[in-house]
Amino acid sequence: MCSSAGESDPRSRKLNKSSVKVNGTHSTALPHAATKLETFSTSAVAFVEDVAGERSRQNIPTEKQNADPFRQGLIVEGGVGYRQTVVIRSYEVGPDKTATLETILNLLQETALNHVWMSGLLGDGFGATHGMIRNNLIWVVTRMHVQVDQYPIWGEVLEIDTWVGASGKNGMRRDWLIQSRLTGVVFARATSTWVMMNKQTRRLSKMPEEVRDEISPWFIERQAIKEDVPEKIIKLDDDAKYVDSDLKPKRSDLDMNHHVNNVKYVRWMLETIPVQFPENYELSSIILEYRRECGSSDTVQSICEPDEGSIPEDDNISIIKDFSLAPEILDGCGLSGTFDKWPTKYTHLLQIKGQQKYEEIVRGRTTWRKKLFNTY
Amino acid sequence: MCSSAGESDPRSRKLNKSSVKVNGTHSTALPHAATKLETFSTSAVAFVEDVAGERSRQNIPTEKQNADPFRQGLIVEGGVGYRQTVVIRSYEVGPDKTATLETILNLLQETALNHVWMSGLLGDGFGATHGMIRNNLIWVVTRMHVQVDQYPIWGEVLEIDTWVGASGKNGMRRDWLIQSRLTGVVFARATSTWVMMNKQTRRLSKMPEEVRDEISPWFIERQAIKEDVPEKIIKLDDDAKYVDSDLKPKRSDLDMNHHVNNVKYVRWMLETIPVQFPENYELSSIILEYRRECGSSDTVQSICEPDEGSIPEDDNISIIKDFSLAPEILDGCGLSGTFDKWPTKYTHLLQIKGQQKYEEIVRGRTTWRKKLFNTY
């Protein structure tokens, strides 16, 4: 972008470079989580772009690092996996004092990028390998699956492991495992699938041999979530049970690529379910299938259909029998609400109104379990 | 709250304790940032409440710590100040790749609480001193002033210092200084004022002698922002230039006390200014005066009045003269928009519709400066 003030200001040079990079965007669905994994023969090149002093402010290494003391990251698993210690912060938890799903998604993105940072070859952070750049390719995420066994609480110390592997002939898998540092108990597992897209034509591409040669040394076979046949998500039509229309992205919803961030997608999806539901249920699994990116000027529709067959057996009757609670007590402690029967599986779709028809942004599938206590 | 499932599940005991604490709330405006500072004679008491195992999951110390390796925190300034190293994460920056104001506010809250954590006497995190508990008192924040000299960028390593001091006879001040760890350059300064409120009557209280004796050993005179006469914010009426009505909190906007979090307040305030404005201007200062808390069922009105006298001199003419840019270039790089003249000072008010009249939540005052480059 161009200057809107004279060049005399000392900040001019810095910001100028910054804005050129940001606006010359490598746009993609969830591009911020794209992965840059390279062999290390050309690391000296990395500082060529450092006109702005940005790389030194970001403390970006030009060689592979085995430890990142500031982010508390380590290279593990024989030099190819990444592990980061993270403490759940006060503002990352919801009213029930447990980390929100948004927090977990944010931490997945963050650790993926920090893994790449450790490679010593992080460019602007969305980057492709040198081989991909030569072929004008970028990474796009096509699928994400997160399973939450238990939500960590405020102040809890986590260890987040992430690694990459092959996905078919032309794709890459990135997995994560989130555990308690104290006990090793698993909080969450996640897996994602990435493919390459031509930056100009916006069409998917095969993985060129030279790119495979660059990234395959990093591949690990281990899978965080075993999926013999990954669940496919059906496309909803407009007569779904819950519909929220006219959702508009705000500036604070945009990521560095000027697209709506992944967390906002999920928030739109989940907020389409009536508000009473998450008072008594917590999300145990989410699958996302990405179709296209959503820009700042798009208007979004979120639709959601419960699986009516997924209503669980009611297990409250025993409490009544055992304790003979008076109705006013049930009301007073919010228990009466839990007698509502809710399905525990939902299908979701976010779409934008195109010229001719709606265009899909992302399909979703969520599974929920009853909270043991109403902590809303 | 009561159980909504049988006690046989192994998670029952944990969650039960958790929810009792969360719902037996010490509600207050911005209560999560309240400060617990105590003398250390009764530290053994702290584990009494640990029925839930929560304190051990949260790794809460029962004695004063001088270093927190997981949060990278240190006690400094002769044993009373706190310093934490923080790296700006990928999801904490906006489209221009700099940390958002929300991120800065979150980090202020987080470091304040971690300062208290280091004291070895953190209870549930919102807590008062033992003396305050004996007097049934809680902390409430009444004022916050944040000045941002420069926004840190993604990946930048910060050092955040925070400390407390006296504020008049009955109040406490908490200050912060955010600097670059690499260069020491100051990114932001902040100061806040806290008073005590009776938990039952919800009325402000004098600081009892025993409480003063507990917290005054922690006081430091140094001020992050010199304010001889703190600026007062006028109350707006309904005929202000910009009004957003019917703003409703969502579940994700609530903090651990089930009140709307501070960051959401600020977002509501700033989003009332037309969206074109923050494309070319960045916030350099915000003052907040808190009046009452906002719950999940309140409907909020955000009103905003620009200071028409605060439109700066236009400095774009020289660019045109110097570079003779063609109009299509100006358009193409978004420069033409910068010719709009915008005031640089705004007064804000958030209020909720009460039974009889509107009730103020928070007044605000923001100051902005022109961005040197349109990085939107």
Side-chain angles (χ1 to χ4, degrees):
Chain A
M1 300 305 268
C2 302
S3 160
S4 64
E7 290 290 328
S8 59
D9 187 289
R11 288 186 293 167
S12 302
R13 191 183 291 171
K14 269 187 230 169
L15 292 173
N16 190 29
K17 180 63 185 168
S18 162
S19 41
V20 168
K21 283 202 284 189
V22 169
N23 290 291
T25 180
H26 325 269
S27 57
T28 156
L30 197 65
H32 41 259
T35 319
K36 180 169 188 168
L37 296 170
E38 316 198 17
T39 52
F40 300 108
S41 55
T42 54
S43 59
V45 176
F47 265 97
V48 170
E49 286 194 291
D50 190 20
V51 180
E54 263 197 9
R55 288 185 65 92
S56 57
R57 283 177 67 186
Q58 290 184 260
N59 194 29
I60 297 176
T62 52
E63 291 179 4
K64 182 181 177 184
Q65 308 288 308
N66 285 309
D68 178 352
F70 297 125
R71 295 190 182 90
Q72 303 191 83
L74 284 176
I75 290 293
V76 293
E77 304 203 57
V80 292
Y82 176 72
R83 176 174 299 156
Q84 185 172 337
T85 301
V86 170
V87 186
I88 295 295
R89 296 175 177 170
S90 54
Y91 57 87
E92 295 177 328
V93 300
D96 59 2
K97 225 163 117 177
T98 64
T100 60
L101 178 66
E102 286 90 335
T103 295
I104 290 172
L105 294 173
N106 281 333
L107 290 174
L108 299 184
Q109 171 187 315
E110 175 68 9
T111 49
L113 280 165
N114 294 347
H115 186 193
V116 182
W117 187 92
M118 298 286 274
S119 75
L121 287 150
L122 183 66
D124 60 3
F126 313 103
T129 64
H130 288 303
M132 287 171 69
I133 290 170
R134 279 191 290 273
N135 288 276
N136 210 19
L137 299 174
I138 55 173
W139 285 116
V140 293
V141 62
T142 57
R143 186 170 186 276
M144 186 118 186
H145 182 181
V146 184
Q147 280 180 354
V148 186
D149 295 351
Q150 187 186 350
Y151 286 84
I153 64 175
W154 174 39
E156 200 147 46
V157 185
L158 316 181
E159 267 183 4
I160 307 179
D161 279 77
T162 183
W163 63 93
V164 291
S167 174
K169 204 176 152 205
N170 293 302
M172 188 179 76
R173 189 172 37 75
R174 176 176 283 283
D175 283 13
W176 294 265
L177 181 66
I178 305 182
Q179 294 173 277
S180 160
R181 195 178 191 282
L182 185 69
T183 65
V185 66
V186 173
F187 291 117
R189 305 163 203 275
T191 187
S192 59
T193 311
W194 301 79
V195 294
M196 290 178 197
M197 178 188 268
N198 184 289
K199 203 169 139 184
Q200 258 72 54
T201 66
R202 316 305 289 170
R203 295 172 69 92
L204 297 186
S205 163
K206 287 190 175 175
M207 186 186 292
E209 275 308 314
E210 64 172 321
V211 175
R212 191 185 322 277
D213 291 347
E214 286 177 311
I215 64 174
S216 56
W218 291 83
F219 286 176
I220 301 178
E221 272 302 305
R222 183 162 64 107
Q223 286 177 255
I225 300 175
K226 292 274 177 216
E227 289 180 306
D228 292 332
V229 183
E231 185 179 351
K232 292 280 175 198
I233 307 173
I234 58 159
K235 189 184 174 189
L236 296 181
D237 18 71
D238 300 12
D239 60 353
K241 184 160 184 182
Y242 305 120
V243 180
D244 275 352
S245 294
D246 293 322
L247 302 168
K248 290 186 210 314
K250 300 205 163 149
R251 188 168 196 275
S252 53
D253 302 324
L254 303 183
D255 63 23
M256 287 183 267
N257 261 345
H258 296 215
H259 293 125
V260 173
N261 68 55
N262 194 33
V263 162
K264 186 66 184 189
Y265 287 160
V266 172
R267 198 173 280 187
W268 273 333
M269 277 186 184
L270 302 190
E271 284 176 352
T272 304
I273 306 178
V275 69
Q276 298 81 359
F277 180 62
E279 293 177 18
N280 295 309
Y281 291 80
E282 66 183 12
L283 183 143
S284 58
S285 164
I286 184 166
I287 302 174
L288 299 162
E289 286 178 11
Y290 297 93
R291 303 294 166 130
R292 56 152 289 171
E293 57 221 14
C294 173
S296 56
S297 58
D298 291 321
T299 299
V300 175
Q301 186 180 56
S302 170
I303 66 184
C304 172
E305 183 71 41
D307 281 15
E308 294 300 345
S310 66
I311 297 173
E313 292 290 311
D314 197 301
D315 53 359
N316 289 306
I317 304 305
S318 60
I319 298 179
I320 306 239
K321 279 197 301 205
D322 291 353
F323 296 101
S324 307
L325 295 180
E328 62 272 23
I329 294 174
L330 291 179
D331 279 345
C333 70
L335 189 57
S336 55
T338 67
F339 291 104
D340 295 335
K341 291 189 172 198
W342 288 89
T344 54
K345 288 179 182 290
Y346 293 79
T347 304
H348 306 262
L349 175 64
L350 295 186
Q351 53 186 3
I352 47 184
K353 181 107 184 179
Q355 299 283 51
Q356 314 282 315
K357 57 184 175 63
Y358 278 102
E359 293 174 11
E360 293 184 83
I361 304 169
V362 54
R363 295 184 189 179
R365 176 85 172 152
T366 56
T367 308
W368 303 71
R369 62 178 160 244
K370 215 168 212 172
K371 287 183 189 174
L372 292 172
F373 297 93
N374 179 344
T375 50
Y376 183 68
Chain B
M1 301 305 268
C2 303
S3 162
S4 63
E7 290 289 329
S8 59
D9 187 287
R11 289 185 294 169
S12 302
R13 189 183 291 170
K14 267 187 228 169
L15 293 172
N16 190 29
K17 180 63 185 168
S18 162
S19 41
V20 168
K21 284 203 284 188
V22 168
N23 291 292
T25 180
H26 325 269
S27 56
T28 154
L30 196 64
H32 41 255
T35 318
K36 181 170 188 168
L37 297 170
E38 314 196 20
T39 53
F40 301 107
S41 55
T42 54
S43 59
V45 176
F47 265 96
V48 170
E49 285 193 291
D50 190 21
V51 180
E54 264 198 8
R55 288 185 65 90
S56 57
R57 282 178 66 186
Q58 291 185 261
N59 193 28
I60 297 176
T62 53
E63 291 181 2
K64 181 182 177 185
Q65 307 289 308
N66 285 311
D68 178 351
F70 297 125
R71 294 190 182 91
Q72 302 191 84
L74 284 175
I75 290 293
V76 294
E77 304 202 56
V80 292
Y82 176 70
R83 175 175 302 158
Q84 185 173 336
T85 300
V86 170
V87 186
I88 295 295
R89 295 175 177 170
S90 53
Y91 57 87
E92 296 176 328
V93 299
D96 60 1
K97 225 161 119 180
T98 64
T100 60
L101 178 66
E102 285 91 336
T103 295
I104 290 172
L105 294 172
N106 281 333
L107 290 173
L108 299 182
Q109 170 186 316
E110 175 67 11
T111 49
L113 280 165
N114 294 347
H115 186 193
V116 181
W117 188 92
M118 297 286 275
S119 74
L121 287 149
L122 183 67
D124 60 3
F126 313 102
T129 65
H130 287 305
M132 287 171 69
I133 290 169
R134 281 191 289 273
N135 288 277
N136 211 18
L137 298 174
I138 56 173
W139 285 116
V140 291
V141 62
T142 57
R143 186 171 185 277
M144 186 115 185
H145 182 181
V146 183
Q147 281 180 352
V148 186
D149 295 350
Q150 186 185 350
Y151 286 85
I153 64 175
W154 174 38
E156 200 148 47
V157 184
L158 315 181
E159 267 183 5
I160 307 180
D161 279 78
T162 183
W163 63 93
V164 291
S167 173
K169 206 177 152 204
N170 293 302
M172 188 180 76
R173 190 171 38 76
R174 177 176 281 282
D175 284 11
W176 293 266
L177 181 66
I178 305 182
Q179 293 173 278
S180 160
R181 195 178 191 282
L182 185 70
T183 65
V185 67
V186 173
F187 291 117
R189 306 162 201 275
T191 187
S192 59
T193 312
W194 301 80
V195 294
M196 288 176 198
M197 178 189 269
N198 185 289
K199 202 169 137 182
Q200 258 72 55
T201 66
R202 314 305 290 172
R203 294 173 66 92
L204 296 186
S205 162
K206 286 189 176 177
M207 186 186 291
E209 275 308 313
E210 63 172 321
V211 176
R212 191 185 321 279
D213 292 345
E214 287 176 310
I215 64 173
S216 56
W218 291 82
F219 287 175
I220 302 179
E221 273 301 306
R222 182 161 65 106
Q223 286 177 256
I225 300 175
K226 292 275 176 215
E227 291 180 306
D228 293 333
V229 183
E231 185 179 350
K232 292 281 176 198
I233 306 173
I234 59 159
K235 189 187 173 188
L236 295 181
D237 14 74
D238 301 10
D239 60 355
K241 184 160 183 182
Y242 305 120
V243 180
D244 275 350
S245 293
D246 293 321
L247 302 168
K248 291 188 209 313
K250 301 207 161 146
R251 188 168 196 274
S252 54
D253 302 325
L254 303 182
D255 62 23
M256 287 183 268
N257 261 344
H258 296 216
H259 292 124
V260 174
N261 68 56
N262 194 32
V263 161
K264 186 67 183 187
Y265 287 160
V266 172
R267 199 173 277 188
W268 274 333
M269 277 186 183
L270 303 191
E271 285 177 350
T272 304
I273 308 178
V275 69
Q276 297 82 0
F277 180 63
E279 293 179 16
N280 295 307
Y281 291 80
E282 65 182 14
L283 184 144
S284 58
S285 164
I286 184 165
I287 302 173
L288 298 161
E289 285 177 13
Y290 298 94
R291 302 295 166 129
R292 57 153 286 173
E293 57 221 14
C294 172
S296 57
S297 58
D298 291 320
T299 299
V300 176
Q301 185 180 59
S302 170
I303 64 184
C304 172
E305 183 70 41
D307 281 16
E308 295 299 344
S310 67
I311 298 174
E313 292 289 312
D314 196 301
D315 54 359
N316 289 307
I317 304 304
S318 60
I319 297 178
I320 306 235
K321 277 197 302 201
D322 291 352
F323 296 100
S324 307
L325 295 180
E328 62 271 22
I329 293 174
L330 292 179
D331 278 345
C333 69
L335 189 57
S336 56
T338 66
F339 291 103
D340 296 336
K341 291 189 172 199
W342 288 88
T344 55
K345 288 178 182 289
Y346 293 78
T347 305
H348 306 262
L349 175 63
L350 295 186
Q351 54 186 2
I352 46 184
K353 182 108 186 178
Q355 299 283 50
Q356 314 281 315
K357 58 181 173 67
Y358 278 102
E359 292 175 11
E360 292 183 83
I361 304 168
V362 52
R363 295 184 189 180
R365 177 85 172 152
T366 55
T367 307
W368 302 71
R369 63 179 160 243
K370 215 169 214 173
K371 287 183 188 173
L372 292 173
F373 297 93
N374 179 345
T375 51
Y376 183 69

